[in-house]
Amino acid sequence: MEQFDEMLKAMAKKEEMMVPNGFDERVRETLDGLPPREKRRGLGAVKTVLIAAALCAALLCTAFAASPELRGMLAEALGGFAPYAQGQEGEAYVIDGIEFRVVSALADDFTVRAYVEARELEGDRLSKLERNVLGGAFGLVDVPIKDMGNSEGSGGGTTSGICLDYDPETKTALLAVTSWGQVMADDLSGAEVKLFSLSGGPKAAYRTIWENSGGVYFPVDVKPMPSLTLDGELASALGAEEVRISSLGLSVIFKGDGAWHRFAGTNVSVRLSDGTLAEAPWEGGQGNYGAYGTETERKVLVWNFRQPVDVDGVQGIYVGEDYFPLG
């Protein structure tokens, strides 16, 4: 076992691994399925080998499945949000010469974002993608919507898709597809990433460089992180019905077609107990639900933080230059 331990240590030094979400649970399930340890001499060593093999197999099926380049791009994209992300184990789909795979997801009450690996199998179309420009990838994360009854009217939201990074050696791009404002159901099984097209930047004259001609969509596992409803005095000061905050973002729910116009398009930041500010630039995140012109009508504005926020440490909110302290 000393030799095996040394091998694992050498592998750990060589590869920079991110432990996927749910890894501990999967290892625990594997270990629970192993035969109980007997008192007879020798079986303890056998189980130790089985445990090591189970750990190694779990790592090989997750952290080592992606290339080092992709792991680096994904780690940089997630940043401090990595502990909140859900690692994905979905299959790869080849559509018109590009292989797609959902590799991670991030969500709260009104934001759901999927990170998608796109690998060129023929040509160099992905090299023409413009980095970090909204609209480079046209698609959405489609999740089951909460059933509010026929009288509540339909709900809607906004979407965005961008190319976060591209590795020319492996011809691999990392895409982020985001949907905002959907009133998600309690059961999110059946959620899908619907990627429709990719558009190039100046090199491609901003033309479409790939289309999902087969209408193939990618399953994604979505698990929203916890959120906190802030006090009613803040909501009243904003002219809103409710304000929710998570480590990922701020969501403000307005009743009717009124005060939300004041804040749409405005950047937000929150002041934390240590005196620092956490910025959440406006990216067009919004949604609506309920029947228009009735008591059920609601509008949701959504801002996402650049780095995770300690929701218990929020002292107040800046909307533009206006400051709204918590009561």
Side-chain angles (χ1 to χ4, degrees), residues 35 60 90 96 99 124 126 150 161 222 239 250 261-262 267 286 311:
L60 286 172
D96 190 22
E99 181 186 75
D124 63 347
L126 296 179
N150 294 332
V222 177
L250 181 77
H261 293 282
R262 174 185 174 192
N267 294 334
Q286 55 187 295
V311 297

Side-chain angles (χ1 to χ4, degrees), residues 181-314:
Q182 300 175 97
V183 184
M184 293 182 274
D186 296 329
D187 181 6
L188 295 176
S189 56
E192 293 180 314
V193 178
K194 294 186 174 180
L195 186 62
F196 304 118
S197 64
L198 299 175
S199 299
K203 293 181 181 179
Y206 300 100
R207 295 175 181 172
T208 299
I209 60 174
W210 172 88
E211 284 187 292
N212 191 343
S213 56
V216 179
Y217 304 134
F218 321 134
V220 58
D221 181 25
V222 177
K223 295 178 182 177
M225 66 181 69
S227 64
L228 178 69
T229 300
L230 299 179
D231 65 61
E233 291 185 12
L234 174 62
S236 296
L238 293 172
E241 183 177 55
E242 188 176 326
V243 180
R244 298 183 194 175
I245 191 169
S246 74
S247 294
L248 175 60
L250 181 77
S251 303
V252 185
I253 304 172
F254 297 90
K255 182 178 180 180
D257 190 20
W260 69 270
H261 293 282
R262 174 185 174 192
F263 304 110
T266 303
N267 294 334
V268 160
S269 60
V270 298
R271 177 172 291 280
L272 303 174
S273 55
D274 62 1
T276 61
L277 295 178
E279 297 181 348
W282 175 255
E283 295 177 304
Q286 55 187 295
N288 62 279
Y289 60 95
Y292 181 76
T294 73
E295 284 294 311
T296 66
E297 181 188 0
R298 298 292 187 276
K299 184 76 172 184
V300 186
L301 299 185
V302 186
W303 293 265
N304 293 141
F305 297 116
R306 290 305 189 206
Q307 292 296 327
V309 164
D310 175 12
V311 297
D312 293 323
V314 175

Side-chain angles (χ1 to χ4, degrees), residues 111-196:
T111 298
V112 54
R113 178 173 296 134
Y115 295 88
V116 181
E117 169 194 12
R119 187 166 67 93
E120 184 78 72
L121 302 180
E122 52 188 60
D124 63 347
R125 290 165 293 180
L126 296 179
S127 67
K128 298 179 176 64
L129 288 171
E130 195 170 6
R131 316 292 191 274
N132 296 304
V133 175
L134 297 178
F138 175 47
L140 72 153
V141 185
D142 192 15
V143 298
I145 302 299
K146 184 171 291 185
D147 182 8
M148 300 181 182
N150 294 332
S151 63
E152 296 298 308
S154 61
T158 55
T159 66
S160 170
I162 61 175
C163 173
L164 296 171
D165 207 345
Y166 176 73
D167 177 57
E169 293 187 6
T170 60
K171 295 185 176 181
T172 300
L174 180 63
L175 313 174
V177 181
T178 305
S179 291
W180 295 286
Q182 300 175 97
V183 184
M184 293 182 274
D186 296 329
D187 181 6
L188 295 176
S189 56
E192 293 180 314
V193 178
K194 294 186 174 180
L195 186 62
F196 304 118

